[in-house]
Amino acid sequence: MHIAGPSVCRRRGAAVVAALVTCSTVLTGQHLAVAGGGPAPAGPAPRLDWRPCVQGSPFDCATAKVPLDYDDPGGRTIELAVIRRKATGPGRRIGSLFFNPGGPGGPGTIQMPQNYEKFPREVRERFDIVSWDPRGIGNSTAVDCFGSPEAAAEWAGGHAVGFPVGARERATWIAAYRDLSRRCERRNPELLRHVSTADTARDLDGLRRAVGDSQLTYLGISYGTFLGATYANLFPDKVRAMVFDSNWDPQAWTNRGSDDARLPSFLRAGSDRTAAATIDKFLELCGSTGTDRCAFSAGSPKATRSKFDRLLRRLREEPVGSYTYSATVADVVNSLYVVHPGWTELAGRLQDLWRGRTPEPPTLPPAPPVPDPSPYLGEEQAAAVFCGDSPNPRAPEAYHSFEEDSAARTGVAGRFWTWAAEGCATWPAVAADRYRGPWNKPTAHPVLVVGTIYDPSTPYSAAKAMAAELADARLLTNDGYGHTALINPSRCVQDHESRYLVDGTLPPAGTTCRQDTPPFGTPEPNGGIAAGGGWLAGAADRV
């Protein structure tokens, strides 16, 4: 099972890398100090003993102890690795902004430092930026079904990359993920049942209390939007300001609360459709420019699409080094997450393959200044969250049929996204504590939902669905490309987010922004908007 997302991009090294609307609308919510409405806290807040992550690091680290099972708060505890960067504007601090980098499986202690400079300047000035490795992940108490890097590498090398092609590879793939499930059941049976999104939302509320904030300020990207929606409905009175960027449709992800899943999770979510549209846009824009900007261009969109199809057919018969047909498709989908430099570098790799040359591997980002910048991030960590939360068909042999049906509509994107969920067919655990709705509990303050039009993972339709499902939300459209506006910057989006996070001013209904620099292009002219005067003005005195 290959679950793509910012965490995958990080391992590949990519995550480090409209007319401007000048007026704003304020939606007024309740006062910051509203009480009641959420579940009672499970015991005292965890203690955070902050210290520099490493000597000279601008980041502080801490370890929080939380209950494994919130229904048994006096029982076994687990550890959460936590990180922060203090607000840079002396005397102007509002509180803490909690950040979840997605996945599931994204280690915040790594990805927050890597992406820190991408947070809007005013947000960095006014908030401590805080993140953590969710339970089961990375440097926290982690799911590990192998026990050694060598065993994990041997398992990973025993099946196809991306998705299986042909009956033999399908049989090998299914057997590999059945073997993974057995290993996990033997090594982590108790932990597997307690790494749900609802468990993590309760951890997040404990961390909020630990930093002394009366309500939560939050930015979640990708899977982090589902985590955010779960928190908002478990603790609606604790919502100060929450930004959801590149959204999961909560009804699709939870199969509307039913365990009778007729389709795999990512097909329900529409990942195949949005990836297909984004691949097509990549080829269109590449073909509309010259090879000086897009190395794979064949001179026109039609010719470039044809060239891409011919390349994939050739790779199916004659791989180039490790670049098989399926591995190349996986590389294409994952490389579309980050427009700059991802799209340009992808075009270069495709051109190398066209010429029969093995591409150079992408350059990895520098390690952040933290104690363990390369924790174990095996596929089973994401699977433990994903498979425990989201229902999937339990018959492995059915996935080939799902693949063919999706491929008939969406081409190679459907093959990739179908098999991304197959490991859940034999997964041994269901989360003991799942939250599956309702999603419309009135929150103390409204939520800002950001959706990108051409996103290879989360469709724009999911952002619209999220905004419609929540009790009080405003949709901000990012007329752009890639997965998340955070790592594909738009000054327009950043200005609206900053104003909302600082003082609660929401963009007007129907607001559309554009990215600063389009794929293969030059920067778009853009501007800014002032921050101040909304329903959270003066919040520094109250948080």
Side-chain angles (χ1 to χ4, degrees):
M1 176 172 46
H2 176 78
I3 300 179
S7 61
V8 173
C9 292
R10 186 196 67 80
R11 291 194 289 272
R12 295 186 58 259
V16 180
V17 285
L20 177 68
V21 178
T22 57
C23 58
S24 296
T25 299
V26 177
L27 293 188
T28 350
Q30 297 169 279
H31 188 274
L32 231 72
V34 172
R47 181 182 176 184
L48 296 175
D49 187 13
W50 295 110
R51 63 198 182 282
C53 293
V54 295
Q55 187 174 3
S57 173
F59 298 95
D60 297 321
C61 288
T63 300
K65 289 188 176 181
V66 296
L68 172 68
D69 182 356
Y70 278 94
D71 290 334
D72 182 19
R76 176 184 167 187
T77 61
I78 59 174
E79 294 186 341
L80 304 179
V82 190
I83 191 168
R84 76 173 177 190
R85 177 76 178 264
K86 288 184 178 179
T88 60
R92 304 181 70 224
R93 179 184 179 275
I94 293 173
S96 296
L97 170 67
F98 284 86
F99 170 63
N100 180 272
T109 62
I110 310 302
Q111 290 183 271
M112 187 274 274
Q114 286 178 328
N115 291 290
Y116 174 77
E117 295 297 332
K118 295 185 182 296
F119 288 87
R121 176 188 55 79
E122 186 164 16
V123 171
R124 287 181 274 128
E125 290 177 345
R126 306 298 298 276
F127 294 94
D128 296 346
I129 310 296
V130 180
S131 193
W132 76 108
D133 292 2
R135 55 173 58 211
I137 309 301
N139 289 308
S140 293
T141 299
V143 175
D144 181 350
C145 301
F146 294 97
S148 74
E150 294 77 16
E154 182 181 0
W155 177 86
H159 59 280
V161 175
F163 54 88
V165 179
R168 181 177 298 178
E169 285 193 2
R170 287 194 296 273
T172 301
W173 176 288
I174 290 169
Y177 282 98
R178 182 176 280 116
D179 176 56
L180 177 64
S181 295
R182 290 169 179 157
R183 290 172 183 261
C184 291
E185 189 172 25
R186 285 195 300 267
R187 289 182 60 89
N188 293 285
E190 187 179 14
L191 184 59
L192 294 183
R193 298 179 62 250
H194 293 287
V195 291
S196 72
T197 301
D199 289 317
T200 293
R202 291 183 170 86
D203 293 342
L204 174 57
D205 195 62
L207 294 174
R208 172 194 63 78
R209 291 185 287 124
V211 300
D213 286 0
S214 62
Q215 291 181 315
L216 179 72
T217 306
Y218 175 83
L219 169 60
I221 63 176
S222 193
Y223 162 77
T225 67
F226 181 69
L227 170 60
T230 301
Y231 182 95
N233 284 277
L234 286 175
F235 304 96
D237 62 308
K238 300 304 182 186
V239 172
R240 176 190 175 275
M242 302 184 80
V243 177
F244 299 169
D245 178 2
S246 287
N247 288 256
W248 288 12
D249 177 347
Q251 293 284 16
W253 194 249
T254 58
N255 199 38
R256 298 190 172 273
S258 170
D259 287 326
D260 183 19
R262 305 299 176 89
L263 283 175
S265 295
F266 291 111
L267 302 191
R268 291 198 310 268
S271 296
D272 54 341
R273 296 189 299 274
T274 193
T278 307
I279 291 171
D280 188 68
K281 198 67 177 178
F282 165 81
L283 296 171
E284 175 191 328
L285 295 176
C286 180
S288 298
T289 191
T291 54
D292 58 326
R293 291 188 180 273
C294 180
F296 194 65
S297 176
S300 72
K302 181 178 180 180
T304 305
R305 291 184 181 105
S306 176
K307 181 179 178 180
F308 181 69
D309 291 341
R310 293 199 306 274
L311 173 62
L312 290 184
R313 285 197 297 270
R314 194 170 76 199
L315 289 172
R316 193 159 186 162
E317 302 299 326
E318 299 176 14
V320 177
S322 63
Y323 281 81
T324 62
Y325 162 69
S326 59
T328 301
V329 171
D331 183 44
V332 168
V333 175
N334 286 323
S335 296
L336 295 175
Y337 278 54
V338 184
V339 173
H340 300 289
W343 286 34
T344 300
E345 292 180 348
L346 170 62
R349 288 195 298 277
L350 292 175
Q351 184 63 15
D352 283 340
L353 293 171
W354 179 256
R355 293 173 175 171
R357 300 194 306 230
T358 302
E360 290 292 323
T363 303
L364 294 175
V370 297
D372 185 1
S374 299
Y376 176 67
L377 295 172
E379 287 189 38
E380 66 269 31
Q381 294 183 5
V385 181
F386 162 41
C387 299
D389 267 354
S390 184
N392 278 275
R394 300 289 289 179
E397 62 277 2
Y399 282 73
H400 179 47
S401 177
F402 296 138
E403 172 194 4
E404 293 302 322
D405 288 346
S406 180
R409 299 186 303 272
T410 64
V412 293
R415 302 189 188 282
F416 173 84
W417 281 114
T418 297
W419 288 95
E422 188 281 326
C424 293
T426 51
W427 189 252
V430 173
D433 185 14
R434 291 183 288 175
Y435 185 80
R436 303 199 285 180
W439 302 101
N440 60 352
K441 292 185 181 179
T443 49
H445 296 113
V447 174
L448 178 60
V449 173
V450 182
T452 298
I453 300 294
Y454 290 101
D455 182 322
S457 175
T458 55
Y460 177 65
S461 61
K464 293 194 291 185
M466 177 70 86
E469 285 291 333
L470 298 173
D472 190 0
R474 175 61 52 84
L475 175 63
L476 174 61
T477 299
N478 179 30
D479 185 6
Y481 312 88
H483 188 51
T484 82
L486 177 68
I487 57 177
N488 297 286
S490 162
R491 175 69 185 278
C492 171
V493 170
Q494 289 184 341
D495 285 341
H496 281 299
E497 288 181 346
S498 295
R499 192 168 186 182
Y500 164 74
L501 290 169
V502 169
D503 61 41
T505 302
L506 286 165
T511 298
T512 295
C513 291
R514 291 199 179 109
Q515 285 174 336
D516 296 345
T517 307
F520 314 122
T522 55
E524 294 271 352
N526 216 327
I529 57 177
W535 47 254
L536 294 177
D541 299 327
R542 303 196 299 270
V543 176

